[in-house]
Amino acid sequence: MAIRPILTAPDPRLKAVSVAVEKVDGEIRKLAQDMADSMYAADGIGLAAIQIGVAKRVIVMDLDQKTEEGRAKKDWKVFINPKILWASPEMATYEEGCLSVPDIWDDVDRPARVRAEWLDLDGKRVEVEADGMLATCLQHEMDHLEGILFLDHLSRLKRNMAIKKLEKAKKLSA
Ligand code: NI
């Protein structure tokens, strides 16, 4: 178990385009475990590898709603080399946040349903049609693999205000 620091915006490393995983081996399984540990420690529901500075196409997610006592169980899933095969024309709006964008939440419109494929920790191909939180979170995390933050979906005015707030927070904590 290793909790690794999560990069926060603005940080040029978060803009990197991640590379595909060639082989799902012990190194990738260790990375996924570290990502899950880091995600739980930060109280998040999803994390892309680039958020701990590793530019590989790996995502972990646990959408279980938290209870007062914390999580009932740590039932996380991993998505390696995910691809969107189809996206619905209907959109859905969710208020999004991000471990790399602390203390900022805003509404983002994304396709309401997607069909996606990825590799699991055994290197097996999985294909699922997702809606609701899973569809939104998967698209949010997949954006990270392209160096895109949810802020990039907001108006320029809102994005600039958010970045100023993030820069200020960084200065205060430096
Ligand atoms: Ni995020």
Side-chain angles (χ1 to χ4, degrees), residues 14 46-48 51 96-101 110 137 140-144 148-150:
L14 288 169
L47 191 78
Q51 293 179 272
E96 297 190 17
C98 179
L99 292 176
S100 293
V101 184
R110 299 181 187 273
C137 288
H140 172 118
E141 299 307 331
M142 285 181 67
D143 270 356
H144 279 297
I148 296 168
L149 298 174
F150 82 88

